[in-house]
């Protein structure tokens, strides 16, 4: 299938590694030019070079923290009028809600809710004027099935999801869609870091713990980032203009509900 987005321009936030990187690769496969972001320059440069060499699309790498005003400004100076925006940032740390201060909450809400809303605010009008826009928010399966120790994530991402549920029904009239992609367990650095405490506490190798957890998923494995990237590329395609305000779980069937 031709996704019909060759030559379009995308901002993919937090994309030197993991799910953001996979979305960037899947869009590059469709001929989309990219602006990539991450805080650490080395891996960002490596990803940008890898994609340019393999897919021949134009890739700009903007090093900076997307959760800051300066970080977003640098990205929007490079690409003020994207056709596609993939919102992403690192997830908040796990913990016990008794320990979280207002400052902890503000950091999580800033990173996983307000940063995405601000980038949408600064790009969506242009998309509507040009009659094409695809916005995908990378959130979490925790939006649908909250995980107690990830309360900061549950709260902040639910806020973003609620906000987008409203505006996505307005923007779609201008062929601008806004959807959430909700990852369950995908094999990335982030997943490894969430398993590390269990490995440390039990003194067992992390690989053993990973294999055990993977078996608990109905698919009997973790998701692969490229599976996530493919779903993102479809939502960003010309074909997906009738899908908006949706929150799509990619979790191997772990969520046990009928819908
Ligand atoms: P990852 O493998 O750790 O990759 C995170 C990427 O984001 C890196 O490129 C990182 O580069 C960049 N990044 C992080 N914070 C940033 C910031 N403030 N500004 C710019 N770039 C930033 O993580 P992932 O697994 O892809 O996860 C992506 C998102 O999905 C996270 O919010 C995570 O919580 C959520 N999620 C993941 C899973 C999973 O199983 N993987 C499940 C549920 C939810 P730098 O560190 O250099 O900035």
């Amino acid at each position: 299938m031709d996704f019909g987005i060759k030559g379009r321009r995308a901002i993919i936030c937090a994309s030197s590694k993991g799910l953001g990187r996979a979305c960037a690769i899947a869009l590059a496969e469709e001929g989309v030019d990219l602006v990539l972001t991450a805080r650490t320059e080395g891996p960002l440069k490596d990803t940008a070079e890898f994609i340019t060499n393999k897919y021949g699309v134009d890739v700009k790498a903007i090093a900076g923290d997307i959760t800051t005003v300066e970080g977003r400004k640098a990205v929007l100076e490079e690409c003020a009028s994207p056709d596609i925006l993939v919102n992403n940032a690192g997830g908040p740390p796990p913990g016990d809600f008794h320990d979280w201060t207002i400052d902890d909450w503000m950091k999580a809400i800033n990173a996983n809710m307000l940063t995405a809303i601000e980038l949408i605010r600064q790009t969506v009008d242009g998309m509507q004027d040009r009659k094409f826009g695809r916005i995908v928010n990378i959130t979490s399966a925790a939006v649908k099935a909250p995980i107690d120790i990830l309360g900061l994530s549950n709260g902040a991402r639910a806020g973003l999801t609620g906000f987008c549920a409203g505006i996505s029904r307005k923007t779609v009239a201008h062929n601008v869609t806004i959807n959430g992609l909700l990852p369950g367990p995908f094999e990335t650095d982030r997943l490894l870091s969430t398993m590390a405490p269990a490995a440390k506490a039990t003194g067992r190798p992390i690989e053993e713990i990973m294999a055990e957890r993977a078996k608990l998923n109905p698919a009997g494995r973790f998701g692969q980032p490229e599976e996530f990237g493919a779903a993102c590329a479809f939502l960003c395609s010309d074909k997906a203009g009738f899908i908006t305000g949706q929150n799509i779980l990619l979790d191997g069937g772990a969520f046990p509900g009928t819908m």
Side-chain angles (χ1 to χ4, degrees):
M1 191 194 296
D2 177 3
F3 280 8
I5 47 175
K6 190 173 178 355
R8 297 268 184 203
R9 210 153 180 228
I11 294 174
I12 321 276
C13 302
S15 48
S16 65
K17 297 182 184 174
L19 304 180
R21 181 179 188 271
C23 293
I25 290 173
L27 286 168
E29 278 176 354
E30 297 303 320
V32 174
D33 295 325
L34 306 172
V35 177
L36 307 182
T37 87
R39 293 163 301 182
T40 321
E41 208 155 354
L44 178 64
K45 220 169 136 234
D46 291 348
T47 293
E49 272 173 22
F50 169 79
I51 293 177
T52 312
N53 294 339
K54 187 154 183 194
Y55 302 104
V57 295
D58 184 59
V59 184
K60 299 280 187 299
I62 307 293
D65 185 338
I66 199 66
T67 70
T68 63
V69 173
E70 306 76 51
R72 291 189 290 275
K73 191 165 171 253
V75 170
L76 292 171
E77 271 172 11
E78 177 58 47
C79 180
S81 308
D83 304 302
I84 293 166
L85 168 66
V86 179
N87 281 313
N88 187 27
D96 181 328
F97 85 94
H98 295 94
D99 302 328
W100 294 330
T101 62
I102 291 289
D103 192 43
D104 294 323
W105 274 107
M106 292 311 287
K107 278 189 192 133
I109 290 168
N110 178 51
N112 298 112
M113 177 182 172
L114 298 180
T115 290
I117 291 175
E118 184 56 13
L119 285 168
I120 293 171
R121 184 179 76 79
Q122 296 201 42
T123 56
V124 76
D125 290 354
M127 290 178 180
Q128 293 195 122
D129 291 345
R130 296 187 303 277
K131 298 285 175 227
F132 182 90
R134 298 286 182 264
I135 298 172
V136 172
N137 299 319
I138 299 180
T139 61
S140 171
V143 167
K144 191 138 176 165
I147 301 164
D148 61 349
I149 57 164
L150 291 178
L152 292 169
S153 170
N154 302 337
R157 297 185 200 276
L160 173 64
T161 305
F163 167 74
C164 289
I167 60 158
S168 58
R169 268 85 186 181
K170 293 278 183 203
T171 60
V172 69
H174 306 278
N175 192 24
V176 177
T177 65
I178 308 178
N179 293 290
L181 276 181
L182 284 55
F186 275 82
E187 232 173 291
T188 66
D189 285 2
R190 162 82 178 175
L191 188 73
L192 264 178
S193 73
T194 62
M195 306 275 165
K200 199 169 165 206
T202 57
R204 293 167 60 208
I206 196 157
E207 295 75 20
E208 215 174 280
I209 302 209
M210 295 272 286
E212 239 171 54
R213 297 269 174 94
K215 270 196 210 140
L216 294 176
N217 188 282
R221 64 178 178 88
F222 293 130
Q224 293 304 309
E226 55 271 25
E227 297 175 295
F228 192 90
C232 178
F234 178 71
L235 281 182
C236 294
S237 76
D238 195 33
K239 316 284 180 199
F242 208 55
I243 305 175
T244 199
Q246 300 306 302
N247 290 287
I248 299 166
L249 260 179
L250 287 86
D251 71 346
F255 179 73
T258 306
M259 286 190 283

mmCIF file of all heavy atoms in Angstrom, residues 12-51:
data_model
loop_
_atom_site.group_PDB
_atom_site.id
_atom_site.type_symbol
_atom_site.label_atom_id
_atom_site.label_comp_id
_atom_site.label_asym_id
_atom_site.label_seq_id
_atom_site.Cartn_x
_atom_site.Cartn_y
_atom_site.Cartn_z
ATOM 1 N N ILE A 12 9.490 14.385 14.832
ATOM 2 C CA ILE A 12 9.331 13.222 15.715
ATOM 3 C C ILE A 12 10.104 13.544 16.997
ATOM 4 O O ILE A 12 11.339 13.586 16.997
ATOM 5 C CB ILE A 12 9.953 11.935 15.127
ATOM 6 C CG1 ILE A 12 9.730 11.836 13.629
ATOM 7 C CG2 ILE A 12 9.457 10.710 15.881
ATOM 8 C CD1 ILE A 12 8.452 11.290 13.188
ATOM 9 N N CYS A 13 9.381 13.765 18.062
ATOM 10 C CA CYS A 13 10.032 14.136 19.327
ATOM 11 C C CYS A 13 10.636 12.908 19.999
ATOM 12 O O CYS A 13 10.083 11.807 19.906
ATOM 13 C CB CYS A 13 9.017 14.766 20.272
ATOM 14 S SG CYS A 13 8.215 16.210 19.575
ATOM 15 N N ALA A 14 11.745 13.128 20.698
ATOM 16 C CA ALA A 14 12.376 12.078 21.503
ATOM 17 C C ALA A 14 12.595 10.818 20.661
ATOM 18 O O ALA A 14 12.024 9.759 20.919
ATOM 19 C CB ALA A 14 11.517 11.768 22.742
ATOM 20 N N SER A 15 13.456 10.956 19.657
ATOM 21 C CA SER A 15 13.492 9.921 18.619
ATOM 22 C C SER A 15 14.876 9.361 18.305
ATOM 23 O O SER A 15 15.066 8.766 17.255
ATOM 24 C CB SER A 15 12.857 10.481 17.338
ATOM 25 O OG SER A 15 13.387 11.747 17.039
ATOM 26 N N SER A 16 15.848 9.525 19.209
ATOM 27 C CA SER A 16 17.149 8.902 18.924
ATOM 28 C C SER A 16 17.119 7.410 19.212
ATOM 29 O O SER A 16 17.936 6.654 18.700
ATOM 30 C CB SER A 16 18.264 9.566 19.740
ATOM 31 O OG SER A 16 18.071 9.345 21.122
ATOM 32 N N LYS A 17 16.180 6.988 20.074
ATOM 33 C CA LYS A 17 16.113 5.580 20.490
ATOM 34 C C LYS A 17 14.664 5.120 20.565
ATOM 35 O O LYS A 17 13.738 5.929 20.504
ATOM 36 C CB LYS A 17 16.711 5.431 21.893
ATOM 37 C CG LYS A 17 18.164 5.769 22.000
ATOM 38 C CD LYS A 17 18.613 5.517 23.421
ATOM 39 C CE LYS A 17 20.057 5.932 23.603
ATOM 40 N NZ LYS A 17 20.455 5.826 25.001
ATOM 41 N N GLY A 18 14.508 3.831 20.775
ATOM 42 C CA GLY A 18 13.226 3.267 21.169
ATOM 43 C C GLY A 18 12.071 3.507 20.210
ATOM 44 O O GLY A 18 12.216 3.423 18.986
ATOM 45 N N LEU A 19 10.916 3.833 20.781
ATOM 46 C CA LEU A 19 9.687 3.932 19.994
ATOM 47 C C LEU A 19 9.715 5.141 19.052
ATOM 48 O O LEU A 19 9.235 5.051 17.917
ATOM 49 C CB LEU A 19 8.479 4.003 20.938
ATOM 50 C CG LEU A 19 8.352 2.840 21.934
ATOM 51 C CD1 LEU A 19 7.128 3.015 22.824
ATOM 52 C CD2 LEU A 19 8.293 1.501 21.197
ATOM 53 N N GLY A 20 10.276 6.257 19.523
ATOM 54 C CA GLY A 20 10.366 7.438 18.662
ATOM 55 C C GLY A 20 11.231 7.145 17.446
ATOM 56 O O GLY A 20 10.886 7.505 16.313
ATOM 57 N N ARG A 21 12.344 6.489 17.672
ATOM 58 C CA ARG A 21 13.252 6.124 16.571
ATOM 59 C C ARG A 21 12.535 5.212 15.574
ATOM 60 O O ARG A 21 12.653 5.372 14.355
ATOM 61 C CB ARG A 21 14.492 5.426 17.134
ATOM 62 C CG ARG A 21 15.533 5.016 16.116
ATOM 63 C CD ARG A 21 16.717 4.359 16.825
ATOM 64 N NE ARG A 21 17.825 4.119 15.930
ATOM 65 C CZ ARG A 21 17.981 3.008 15.211
ATOM 66 N NH1 ARG A 21 17.078 2.045 15.301
ATOM 67 N NH2 ARG A 21 19.029 2.863 14.425
ATOM 68 N N ALA A 22 11.772 4.262 16.112
ATOM 69 C CA ALA A 22 11.050 3.323 15.236
ATOM 70 C C ALA A 22 10.011 4.059 14.392
ATOM 71 O O ALA A 22 9.816 3.735 13.212
ATOM 72 C CB ALA A 22 10.379 2.238 16.086
ATOM 73 N N CYS A 23 9.357 5.057 14.972
ATOM 74 C CA CYS A 23 8.386 5.847 14.196
ATOM 75 C C CYS A 23 9.113 6.610 13.091
ATOM 76 O O CYS A 23 8.634 6.695 11.953
ATOM 77 C CB CYS A 23 7.646 6.839 15.108
ATOM 78 S SG CYS A 23 6.585 6.033 16.310
ATOM 79 N N ALA A 24 10.283 7.157 13.429
ATOM 80 C CA ALA A 24 11.065 7.904 12.437
ATOM 81 C C ALA A 24 11.455 6.995 11.268
ATOM 82 O O ALA A 24 11.315 7.368 10.099
ATOM 83 C CB ALA A 24 12.309 8.490 13.101
ATOM 84 N N ILE A 25 11.908 5.792 11.580
ATOM 85 C CA ILE A 25 12.331 4.863 10.524
ATOM 86 C C ILE A 25 11.142 4.485 9.641
ATOM 87 O O ILE A 25 11.229 4.483 8.402
ATOM 88 C CB ILE A 25 12.995 3.611 11.145
ATOM 89 C CG1 ILE A 25 14.351 4.008 11.748
ATOM 90 C CG2 ILE A 25 13.156 2.487 10.122
ATOM 91 C CD1 ILE A 25 15.051 2.914 12.536
ATOM 92 N N ALA A 26 10.005 4.205 10.278
ATOM 93 C CA ALA A 26 8.822 3.791 9.491
ATOM 94 C C ALA A 26 8.355 4.926 8.582
ATOM 95 O O ALA A 26 7.940 4.687 7.440
ATOM 96 C CB ALA A 26 7.704 3.357 10.437
ATOM 97 N N LEU A 27 8.439 6.154 9.056
ATOM 98 C CA LEU A 27 8.028 7.287 8.209
ATOM 99 C C LEU A 27 9.058 7.524 7.102
ATOM 100 O O LEU A 27 8.691 7.847 5.965
ATOM 101 C CB LEU A 27 7.847 8.543 9.066
ATOM 102 C CG LEU A 27 6.575 8.517 9.921
ATOM 103 C CD1 LEU A 27 6.584 9.623 10.964
ATOM 104 C CD2 LEU A 27 5.321 8.625 9.055
ATOM 105 N N ALA A 28 10.341 7.346 7.427
ATOM 106 C CA ALA A 28 11.381 7.490 6.394
ATOM 107 C C ALA A 28 11.179 6.456 5.283
ATOM 108 O O ALA A 28 11.380 6.755 4.100
ATOM 109 C CB ALA A 28 12.760 7.334 7.024
ATOM 110 N N GLU A 29 10.750 5.270 5.659
ATOM 111 C CA GLU A 29 10.471 4.224 4.650
ATOM 112 C C GLU A 29 9.383 4.678 3.681
ATOM 113 O O GLU A 29 9.320 4.238 2.544
ATOM 114 C CB GLU A 29 10.010 2.925 5.335
ATOM 115 C CG GLU A 29 11.150 2.080 5.852
ATOM 116 C CD GLU A 29 10.681 0.838 6.616
ATOM 117 O OE1 GLU A 29 9.466 0.687 6.849
ATOM 118 O OE2 GLU A 29 11.555 0.046 7.003
ATOM 119 N N GLU A 30 8.515 5.578 4.154
ATOM 120 C CA GLU A 30 7.436 6.112 3.303
ATOM 121 C C GLU A 30 7.863 7.388 2.583
ATOM 122 O O GLU A 30 7.029 8.065 1.969
ATOM 123 C CB GLU A 30 6.186 6.388 4.157
ATOM 124 C CG GLU A 30 5.591 5.152 4.802
ATOM 125 C CD GLU A 30 5.218 4.070 3.795
ATOM 126 O OE1 GLU A 30 4.693 4.423 2.717
ATOM 127 O OE2 GLU A 30 5.493 2.888 4.067
ATOM 128 N N GLY A 31 9.139 7.751 2.735
ATOM 129 C CA GLY A 31 9.658 8.907 2.000
ATOM 130 C C GLY A 31 9.402 10.243 2.688
ATOM 131 O O GLY A 31 9.443 11.299 2.046
ATOM 132 N N VAL A 32 9.155 10.204 4.004
ATOM 133 C CA VAL A 32 8.894 11.441 4.748
ATOM 134 C C VAL A 32 10.221 12.050 5.228
ATOM 135 O O VAL A 32 11.091 11.337 5.728
ATOM 136 C CB VAL A 32 7.977 11.132 5.968
ATOM 137 C CG1 VAL A 32 7.806 12.362 6.853
ATOM 138 C CG2 VAL A 32 6.622 10.609 5.493
ATOM 139 N N ASP A 33 10.371 13.368 5.050
ATOM 140 C CA ASP A 33 11.543 14.075 5.583
ATOM 141 C C ASP A 33 11.324 14.333 7.071
ATOM 142 O O ASP A 33 10.193 14.584 7.499
ATOM 143 C CB ASP A 33 11.743 15.397 4.836
ATOM 144 C CG ASP A 33 12.088 15.163 3.374
ATOM 145 O OD1 ASP A 33 12.789 14.177 3.085
ATOM 146 O OD2 ASP A 33 11.630 15.954 2.522
ATOM 147 N N LEU A 34 12.435 14.294 7.831
ATOM 148 C CA LEU A 34 12.280 14.236 9.285
ATOM 149 C C LEU A 34 13.060 15.309 10.029
ATOM 150 O O LEU A 34 14.158 15.686 9.629
ATOM 151 C CB LEU A 34 12.798 12.879 9.797
ATOM 152 C CG LEU A 34 12.217 11.609 9.173
ATOM 153 C CD1 LEU A 34 13.002 10.395 9.668
ATOM 154 C CD2 LEU A 34 10.743 11.459 9.526
ATOM 155 N N VAL A 35 12.479 15.728 11.145
ATOM 156 C CA VAL A 35 13.221 16.479 12.154
ATOM 157 C C VAL A 35 13.182 15.632 13.417
ATOM 158 O O VAL A 35 12.105 15.335 13.938
ATOM 159 C CB VAL A 35 12.584 17.864 12.413
ATOM 160 C CG1 VAL A 35 13.343 18.588 13.518
ATOM 161 C CG2 VAL A 35 12.573 18.685 11.142
ATOM 162 N N LEU A 36 14.362 15.216 13.874
ATOM 163 C CA LEU A 36 14.457 14.338 15.041
ATOM 164 C C LEU A 36 14.968 15.126 16.243
ATOM 165 O O LEU A 36 15.744 16.071 16.078
ATOM 166 C CB LEU A 36 15.432 13.187 14.763
ATOM 167 C CG LEU A 36 15.191 12.367 13.495
ATOM 168 C CD1 LEU A 36 16.222 11.232 13.418
ATOM 169 C CD2 LEU A 36 13.779 11.802 13.462
ATOM 170 N N THR A 37 14.559 14.714 17.431
ATOM 171 C CA THR A 37 15.046 15.386 18.628
ATOM 172 C C THR A 37 15.448 14.368 19.693
ATOM 173 O O THR A 37 14.891 13.270 19.751
ATOM 174 C CB THR A 37 13.978 16.319 19.265
ATOM 175 O OG1 THR A 37 13.163 15.562 20.167
ATOM 176 C CG2 THR A 37 13.084 16.962 18.233
ATOM 177 N N ALA A 38 16.383 14.771 20.532
ATOM 178 C CA ALA A 38 16.759 14.033 21.749
ATOM 179 C C ALA A 38 17.722 14.930 22.507
ATOM 180 O O ALA A 38 18.279 15.876 21.922
ATOM 181 C CB ALA A 38 17.414 12.697 21.428
ATOM 182 N N ARG A 39 17.921 14.650 23.783
ATOM 183 C CA ARG A 39 18.827 15.508 24.564
ATOM 184 C C ARG A 39 20.291 15.193 24.287
ATOM 185 O O ARG A 39 21.140 16.063 24.296
ATOM 186 C CB ARG A 39 18.528 15.346 26.069
ATOM 187 C CG ARG A 39 17.173 15.890 26.463
ATOM 188 C CD ARG A 39 16.745 15.371 27.806
ATOM 189 N NE ARG A 39 16.687 13.912 27.805
ATOM 190 C CZ ARG A 39 16.307 13.168 28.823
ATOM 191 N NH1 ARG A 39 15.948 13.742 29.948
ATOM 192 N NH2 ARG A 39 16.273 11.853 28.723
ATOM 193 N N THR A 40 20.606 13.916 24.047
ATOM 194 C CA THR A 40 22.006 13.506 23.912
ATOM 195 C C THR A 40 22.402 13.482 22.437
ATOM 196 O O THR A 40 21.760 12.771 21.641
ATOM 197 C CB THR A 40 22.195 12.106 24.538
ATOM 198 O OG1 THR A 40 21.403 12.032 25.721
ATOM 199 C CG2 THR A 40 23.630 11.828 24.871
ATOM 200 N N GLU A 41 23.448 14.235 22.130
ATOM 201 C CA GLU A 41 23.781 14.473 20.724
ATOM 202 C C GLU A 41 24.246 13.210 19.979
ATOM 203 O O GLU A 41 23.827 12.971 18.847
ATOM 204 C CB GLU A 41 24.855 15.557 20.633
ATOM 205 C CG GLU A 41 24.780 16.303 19.346
ATOM 206 C CD GLU A 41 25.364 17.720 19.452
ATOM 207 O OE1 GLU A 41 25.724 18.149 20.576
ATOM 208 O OE2 GLU A 41 25.455 18.355 18.405
ATOM 209 N N GLY A 42 25.098 12.379 20.640
ATOM 210 C CA GLY A 42 25.720 11.236 19.956
ATOM 211 C C GLY A 42 24.701 10.274 19.339
ATOM 212 O O GLY A 42 24.685 10.074 18.108
ATOM 213 N N PRO A 43 23.840 9.670 20.159
ATOM 214 C CA PRO A 43 22.864 8.723 19.590
ATOM 215 C C PRO A 43 21.912 9.383 18.594
ATOM 216 O O PRO A 43 21.479 8.748 17.626
ATOM 217 C CB PRO A 43 22.081 8.235 20.824
ATOM 218 C CG PRO A 43 22.896 8.599 22.014
ATOM 219 C CD PRO A 43 23.789 9.732 21.631
ATOM 220 N N LEU A 44 21.635 10.666 18.811
ATOM 221 C CA LEU A 44 20.731 11.373 17.883
ATOM 222 C C LEU A 44 21.378 11.478 16.502
ATOM 223 O O LEU A 44 20.740 11.206 15.470
ATOM 224 C CB LEU A 44 20.416 12.766 18.450
ATOM 225 C CG LEU A 44 19.526 13.653 17.590
ATOM 226 C CD1 LEU A 44 18.138 13.046 17.437
ATOM 227 C CD2 LEU A 44 19.400 15.056 18.201
ATOM 228 N N LYS A 45 22.678 11.841 16.517
ATOM 229 C CA LYS A 45 23.418 11.963 15.262
ATOM 230 C C LYS A 45 23.492 10.593 14.573
ATOM 231 O O LYS A 45 23.302 10.478 13.354
ATOM 232 C CB LYS A 45 24.834 12.469 15.569
ATOM 233 C CG LYS A 45 25.325 13.458 14.574
ATOM 234 C CD LYS A 45 26.605 14.133 15.050
ATOM 235 C CE LYS A 45 27.558 14.195 13.880
ATOM 236 N NZ LYS A 45 28.864 13.631 14.114
ATOM 237 N N ASP A 46 23.745 9.546 15.355
ATOM 238 C CA ASP A 46 23.842 8.188 14.799
ATOM 239 C C ASP A 46 22.530 7.799 14.114
ATOM 240 O O ASP A 46 22.523 7.259 13.009
ATOM 241 C CB ASP A 46 24.125 7.151 15.907
ATOM 242 C CG ASP A 46 25.528 7.309 16.465
ATOM 243 O OD1 ASP A 46 26.323 8.044 15.851
ATOM 244 O OD2 ASP A 46 25.820 6.716 17.522
ATOM 245 N N THR A 47 21.407 8.069 14.802
ATOM 246 C CA THR A 47 20.106 7.706 14.223
ATOM 247 C C THR A 47 19.845 8.509 12.951
ATOM 248 O O THR A 47 19.382 7.960 11.940
ATOM 249 C CB THR A 47 18.982 7.942 15.266
ATOM 250 O OG1 THR A 47 19.169 7.001 16.315
ATOM 251 C CG2 THR A 47 17.605 7.754 14.674
ATOM 252 N N ALA A 48 20.161 9.798 13.002
ATOM 253 C CA ALA A 48 19.931 10.644 11.819
ATOM 254 C C ALA A 48 20.760 10.134 10.633
ATOM 255 O O ALA A 48 20.256 10.016 9.502
ATOM 256 C CB ALA A 48 20.280 12.090 12.145
ATOM 257 N N GLU A 49 22.021 9.785 10.905
ATOM 258 C CA GLU A 49 22.896 9.300 9.814
ATOM 259 C C GLU A 49 22.399 7.962 9.268
ATOM 260 O O GLU A 49 22.363 7.739 8.064
ATOM 261 C CB GLU A 49 24.334 9.138 10.334
ATOM 262 C CG GLU A 49 25.110 10.440 10.201
ATOM 263 C CD GLU A 49 26.478 10.352 10.864
ATOM 264 O OE1 GLU A 49 27.000 9.221 11.047
ATOM 265 O OE2 GLU A 49 26.995 11.417 11.217
ATOM 266 N N PHE A 50 21.999 7.090 10.189
ATOM 267 C CA PHE A 50 21.506 5.775 9.775
ATOM 268 C C PHE A 50 20.302 5.940 8.831
ATOM 269 O O PHE A 50 20.227 5.312 7.772
ATOM 270 C CB PHE A 50 21.100 4.966 11.025
ATOM 271 C CG PHE A 50 20.337 3.715 10.722
ATOM 272 C CD1 PHE A 50 20.996 2.571 10.295
ATOM 273 C CD2 PHE A 50 18.951 3.674 10.830
ATOM 274 C CE1 PHE A 50 20.273 1.414 9.992
ATOM 275 C CE2 PHE A 50 18.228 2.528 10.532
ATOM 276 C CZ PHE A 50 18.898 1.392 10.109
ATOM 277 N N ILE A 51 19.378 6.806 9.212
ATOM 278 C CA ILE A 51 18.156 6.970 8.406
ATOM 279 C C ILE A 51 18.480 7.627 7.060
ATOM 280 O O ILE A 51 17.999 7.192 6.010
ATOM 281 C CB ILE A 51 17.094 7.777 9.192
ATOM 282 C CG1 ILE A 51 16.617 6.956 10.406
ATOM 283 C CG2 ILE A 51 15.903 8.131 8.303
ATOM 284 C CD1 ILE A 51 15.621 7.665 11.309
#
